[in-house]
Amino acid sequence: MKNLFQPYDVSLESEMLEPLDFNRRSRLKETDRCFKAEILNVIRLTDMEKLFQVRILDESEGERFSFLPGQFVMVEVPGYGEIPISISSSTSRTGYVELCIRRAGIVTGALHRAKRGAHIGIRGPFGTHFPIETMKGYDVLLIAGGLGLAPLRSSIFAVIENRADFENVHILYGTKSPDQLLFDYQYEEWGRIDDIDLQVIVEEPDNEWTGPVGLITKLLDGIEIDPQRTFAIVCGPPVMFKFVCSRLSEQGMPMRRMFISLERRMHCGMGKCCRCNIGSTFTCMEGPVFDYWTVMNLKEAI
Amino acid sequence: MLFRCLSKEGFRDLVEMTLETIEVVGPKEIGRDKDDNPIHHYLPVSNPDELDFDYATTEYSAKTYFLPFQENLSTYRFDEDDWTQDIRYRIQPRAIIGLHACDINGLLKLDKVFARDFFPSPYYISRRENTFIVGIDHEPCEGGFCRSLGTDTVTHGFDLFLTDLGDRYFVAIGSDRGFGALQKVHAREITDEDTHDYLTERQRLAGLFQAEVPVHDLGTLLDIEFTSEVWEKWGRKCMSCGSCAMVCPTCYCYGVMEKVSMDFERGVKQRQAYSCNLVDFAEVAGGHNFRPDSTTRLKYRYYHQHRGFVEIYDEPKCVGCNRCGRTCLAGISPVEVITDLQMDEQT
Ligand SMILES: Cc1cc2nc3c(=O)[nH]c(=O)nc-3n(C[C@H](O)[C@H](O)[C@H](O)COP(=O)(O)OP(=O)(O)OC[C@H]3O[C@@H](n4cnc5c(N)ncnc54)[C@H](O)[C@@H]3O)c2cc1C
Ligand code: SF4
Ligand code: SF4
Ligand code: FES
């Protein structure tokens, strides 16, 4: 019987021996092997959020790693846990990725304590992306509320780095108060790019605030939208994207041309653990980026 | 498919020879319930006599041998400011002898999730490939509704499948590994008499299995009944203990967590069986819970089984073993829930 029951060693399968690449979804791979990455820089954005510049240590792994705007990675702090985080940097930036992380609990807390030079793990990229290519030739509305700027930022880069490919571009951003604004040092730069309309609004201004005050939808009042010629990406909490999207829909924009990113609890990123399941949809596989029509049709989505 | 005939002694030899080389797991009586009915579990055995094929069902399914309640995904060794990741897949072969058709069908469903299409899991594949599976025909268990779901028979997913013909087994061979094993114990070619006896026995068994609940169109029905009172009725009873998912052969949801050793030298990333009925299943940062009450969580469990899973894999996730119904202290039975939904639609 001995030769009948030879141990089968999955790690010797030819697909397992190929370089690890999460973009090749159907291939057998070491699903829980992470790329070891070094925190190159930590940039404090607000009291709650920090931006981490992270480089995959192994050069060939780093070169193979490619993502599209809206996708996320699973960030692992060994011994603490693993969490989903959107990639916040430009797809054209090679060498490192940027992750904008709010301190919310155990893993994010550990990250906030981590210093430059620390080693973390990342797996991915996972999930769907914003359809930047399809948006070419159209007017573009990029709208974020609060931490929603983190998942939107990669798309902002994709649009401004290829400005000529798009018609009118509006970037609208709103938070509760001025001290919660993320990436404030970049508005200047984005706003100066010829023909990009950047507007920022807060709900509760402080003494120094000179900009507009109110909800994000107020910024839409001042914008001329050609519903048939426009795409929108809306990132933020559910109440916010619901308001914005139904408003745009009233103005005649097809729901298929509005895109949002959903947040769910995620423990794998690979359509296995079911934690991100909405009715029958895996947010990690069929999302996190969805068009608004699809979201409207998801049972228990919002 | 190839068939052979194996004497009872030959089968005993097969088990003994297997025991000499690898671990053998099978239905074993572990005690009696309050009505003096035997309780069985799939457990390692040390000799063929411990295998009790006269079992109705087991309390837990055999899923745990493929998706253990807890499994190490990787270990980390910390060293100064750095760490190294170590990943091991379980490669020790094992035999599970005496699985019923519903449980093998359960494995086939898990195969679809963990061994196919997207992100196949090396952990699962390794365990599956290293498991020699021997199934066996049996009379229906009380409360089971496998017939309604078409899982009372199985044509693949095993190495060998036995049908008891009294003095001998009629054996269906599902793999070359199974073929090889039968050669060692001199199973013989089947005769016309074997085939005749086999078909008679199959017919007798088929007659015993009754379809308990109509499940066709259940997916559409679930959509229509999304806001049904039925969910209130059953959901309010649910104590959110998660036992139903633990005993179920196909429930596979999990959580991942990490731990550090006392000396801070090692960390481990573990996969842990979870249940969508547990309160924090869908809770996210900031404390928002997408399914805060037991009613929506119970509904979700049925929804995943009979709607969500069907959408992706063209078949329901449930095999109708009724383990969840038997284990539930709140008395929530899948047959009654589904029947209620059907009734609700008619009124
Ligand atoms: C696709 C996606 C992209 C995201 N992108 C960003 C981003 O760019 N920046 C950012 O700051 N945050 C992002 N998040 C949220 C981030 O994942 C959570 O803040 C993080 O998981 C909290 O982990 P923790 O260990 O610090 O919290 P914990 O101490 O573990 O728990 C705090 C709370 O977070 C919830 N939680 C725990 N683990 C997870 C998990 N794996 N997934 C979701 N919720 C969890 C728990 O319900 C708990 O209530 C994203 C989430 C998703 C799904
Ligand atoms: S249905 Fe029953 S077994 Fe399942 S969680 Fe509810 S009370 Fe527990
Ligand atoms: S009857 Fe219950 S335990 Fe058995 S497969 Fe269906 S849901 Fe799972
Ligand atoms: S995160 Fe595990 S299934 Fe989506």
Side-chain angles (χ1 to χ4, degrees):
Chain A
M1 286 282 169
K2 264 220 169 57
N3 41 8
L4 268 182
F5 301 124
Q6 285 297 324
Y8 158 83
D9 189 348
V10 69
S11 52
L12 299 178
E13 287 284 346
S14 58
E15 289 186 11
M16 292 283 276
L17 300 170
E18 288 169 12
L20 186 59
D21 184 349
F22 288 89
N23 281 323
R24 307 176 76 185
R25 293 184 172 190
S26 62
R27 310 289 274 187
L28 184 61
K29 64 175 74 63
E30 290 214 272
T31 48
D32 286 77
R33 168 89 49 205
C34 52
F35 300 121
K36 188 185 276 190
E38 178 185 344
I39 299 179
L40 295 178
N41 263 311
V42 183
I43 299 159
R44 212 182 58 249
L45 298 175
T46 73
D47 284 349
M48 295 295 286
E49 286 95 8
K50 285 180 176 176
L51 184 70
F52 296 82
Q53 286 176 336
V54 174
R55 180 186 60 194
I56 294 178
L57 281 175
D58 183 281
E59 226 170 273
S60 66
E61 281 178 355
E63 275 165 21
R64 255 190 334 268
F65 183 90
S66 68
F67 69 97
L68 292 164
Q71 287 194 292
F72 67 94
V73 284
M74 295 299 282
V75 177
E76 173 151 22
V77 186
Y80 287 90
E82 194 183 47
I83 54 165
I85 297 291
S86 305
I87 305 173
S88 228
S89 47
S90 162
T91 48
S92 64
R93 168 80 68 198
T94 51
Y96 65 85
V97 292
E98 291 179 327
L99 307 170
C100 166
I101 300 176
R102 171 175 290 179
R103 195 173 68 231
I106 297 167
V107 182
T108 51
L111 281 164
H112 270 243
R113 287 192 301 276
K115 299 266 179 311
R116 194 161 62 83
H119 289 172
I120 59 171
I122 60 178
R123 291 191 303 126
F126 296 117
T128 50
H129 56 88
F130 293 112
I132 304 292
E133 287 302 313
T134 333
M135 290 160 55
K136 290 186 171 168
Y138 287 84
D139 291 350
V140 174
L141 292 172
L142 303 170
I143 307 174
L147 189 56
L149 192 55
L152 184 67
R153 189 161 165 262
S154 184
S155 303
I156 296 181
F157 284 124
V159 169
I160 61 184
E161 283 167 14
N162 303 287
R163 179 64 190 89
D165 292 339
F166 304 90
E167 297 299 315
N168 299 319
V169 176
H170 302 275
I171 303 174
L172 311 179
Y173 180 42
T175 58
K176 192 132 221 136
S177 61
D179 60 343
Q180 292 175 354
L181 290 169
L182 299 171
F183 305 106
D184 47 357
Y185 57 92
Q186 289 200 306
Y187 309 156
E188 171 95 357
E189 185 189 332
W190 292 344
R192 276 183 190 222
I193 295 171
D194 202 24
D195 213 14
I196 281 191
D197 167 42
L198 173 84
Q199 297 186 53
V200 182
I201 192 166
V202 299
E203 274 175 62
E204 294 161 7
D206 58 14
N207 294 334
E208 281 143 55
W209 183 255
T210 53
V213 173
L215 294 171
I216 188 101
T217 35
K218 192 167 163 189
L219 294 179
L220 285 171
D221 294 340
I223 294 174
E224 193 83 40
I225 295 169
D226 179 353
Q228 294 310 317
R229 300 284 324 140
T230 308
F231 270 92
I233 299 179
V234 188
C235 292
V239 273
M240 175 259 176
F241 67 67
K242 246 194 301 195
F243 265 112
V244 172
C245 291
S246 52
R247 161 78 196 265
L248 293 174
S249 172
E250 276 161 28
Q251 284 177 268
M253 248 185 89
M255 286 192 264
R256 284 265 183 215
R257 291 222 198 101
M258 303 175 209
F259 291 85
I260 62 153
S261 177
L262 288 185
E263 186 182 337
R264 281 297 183 280
R265 189 154 181 156
M266 294 184 179
H267 283 238
C268 73
M270 305 183 289
K272 300 282 180 273
C273 73
C274 297
R275 303 301 285 268
C276 69
N277 212 327
I278 307 172
S280 51
T281 301
F282 289 100
T283 313
C284 66
M285 299 285 298
E286 290 156 73
V289 172
F290 293 96
D291 67 60
Y292 194 57
W293 171 249
T294 305
V295 172
M296 293 286 283
N297 282 285
L298 289 178
K299 296 235 181 268
E300 61 170 20
I302 36 182
Chain B
M1 181 157 331
L2 288 175
F3 301 98
R4 287 288 181 277
C5 200
L6 186 61
S7 65
K8 293 268 164 113
E9 297 76 51
F11 175 71
R12 208 187 151 84
D13 289 346
L14 179 76
V15 178
E16 268 168 1
M17 285 163 76
T18 309
L19 270 164
E20 279 164 27
T21 39
I22 57 173
E23 181 182 63
V24 175
V25 166
K28 206 169 153 178
E29 184 176 328
I30 57 141
R32 300 254 156 184
D33 68 11
K34 59 178 190 335
D35 302 321
D36 205 37
N37 293 317
I39 301 171
H40 287 89
H41 279 190
Y42 293 118
L43 288 173
V45 296
S46 51
N47 68 67
D49 296 328
E50 283 177 30
L51 290 170
D52 182 5
F53 286 165
D54 205 19
Y55 77 110
T57 180
T58 54
E59 200 168 18
Y60 288 85
S61 72
K63 158 183 85 177
T64 51
Y65 291 99
F66 304 91
L67 293 173
F69 291 129
Q70 197 173 66
E71 179 176 38
N72 283 358
L73 296 178
S74 74
T75 41
Y76 292 93
R77 184 173 286 282
F78 301 117
D79 179 25
E80 300 285 326
D81 290 333
D82 204 5
W83 45 264
T84 42
Q85 185 180 24
D86 185 30
I87 297 178
R88 302 275 164 92
Y89 305 104
R90 189 188 194 280
I91 57 169
Q92 293 90 327
R94 174 193 276 146
I96 305 186
I97 301 182
L99 285 187
H100 289 168
C102 60
D103 280 347
I104 297 172
N105 275 307
L107 285 175
L108 290 172
K109 291 180 196 291
L110 292 180
D111 288 350
K112 294 198 165 172
V113 179
F114 288 96
R116 303 250 195 293
D117 303 348
F118 52 86
F119 296 113
S121 160
Y123 302 90
Y124 178 86
I125 291 171
S126 183
R127 285 173 180 272
R128 186 77 162 101
E129 290 287 321
N130 277 306
T131 311
F132 185 80
I133 291 180
V134 182
I136 188 161
D137 258 336
H138 66 109
E139 293 182 2
C141 65
E142 205 185 313
F145 54 108
C146 51
R147 177 78 197 212
S148 319
L149 290 151
T151 53
D152 53 331
T153 56
V154 66
T155 52
H156 61 123
F158 52 79
D159 295 280
L160 298 173
F161 198 91
L162 315 172
T163 302
D164 194 335
L165 300 182
D167 57 343
R168 63 199 194 281
Y169 288 113
F170 190 89
V171 192
I173 306 173
S175 71
D176 58 346
R177 204 161 48 166
F179 189 81
L182 283 188
Q183 269 180 335
K184 305 247 176 206
V185 290
H186 311 294
R188 61 168 174 77
E189 301 273 338
I190 47 170
T191 62
D192 287 348
E193 191 194 346
D194 295 329
T195 312
H196 173 267
D197 290 354
Y198 168 70
L199 292 175
T200 314
E201 172 64 2
R202 281 294 323 152
Q203 231 161 25
R204 184 185 72 86
L205 290 174
L208 297 175
F209 283 84
Q210 298 294 326
E212 302 282 337
V213 278
V215 292
H216 58 271
D217 280 345
L218 198 55
T220 326
L221 181 62
L222 282 169
D223 261 359
I224 297 167
E225 298 291 321
F226 199 73
T227 51
S228 166
E229 294 285 319
V230 172
W231 298 121
E232 271 303 312
K233 172 181 162 194
W234 292 102
R236 263 205 311 269
K237 293 186 202 225
C238 175
M239 299 175 287
S240 309
C241 66
S243 309
C244 46
M246 297 303 129
V247 299
C248 176
T250 62
C251 274
Y252 60 86
C253 303
Y254 63 85
V256 174
M257 50 172 240
E258 303 207 8
K259 284 187 207 151
V260 181
S261 65
M262 295 292 274
D263 55 12
F264 295 104
E265 279 183 2
R266 246 189 297 248
V268 53
K269 180 182 180 192
Q270 286 177 331
R271 192 189 62 78
Q272 193 129 33
Y274 222 76
S275 158
C276 56
N277 285 35
L278 297 177
V279 64
D280 67 343
F281 185 84
E283 189 184 278
V284 295
H288 182 70
N289 193 335
F290 287 95
R291 290 183 214 108
D293 50 79
S294 57
T295 308
T296 45
R297 289 197 296 273
L298 187 74
K299 173 167 70 180
Y300 167 78
R301 184 160 183 271
Y302 280 86
Y303 208 79
H304 184 203
Q305 284 172 346
H306 297 283
R307 172 80 165 76
F309 201 83
V310 183
E311 211 167 281
I312 303 175
Y313 302 107
D314 282 330
E315 58 182 81
K317 191 175 78 64
C318 173
V319 298
C321 68
N322 195 33
R323 285 191 178 90
C324 58
R326 271 180 226 110
T327 205
C328 181
L329 291 174
I332 299 172
S333 127
V335 174
E336 287 181 57
V337 173
I338 295 167
T339 309
D340 263 7
L341 281 171
Q342 312 267 17
M343 303 280 279
D344 202 49
E345 193 211 19
Q346 281 158 22
T347 51

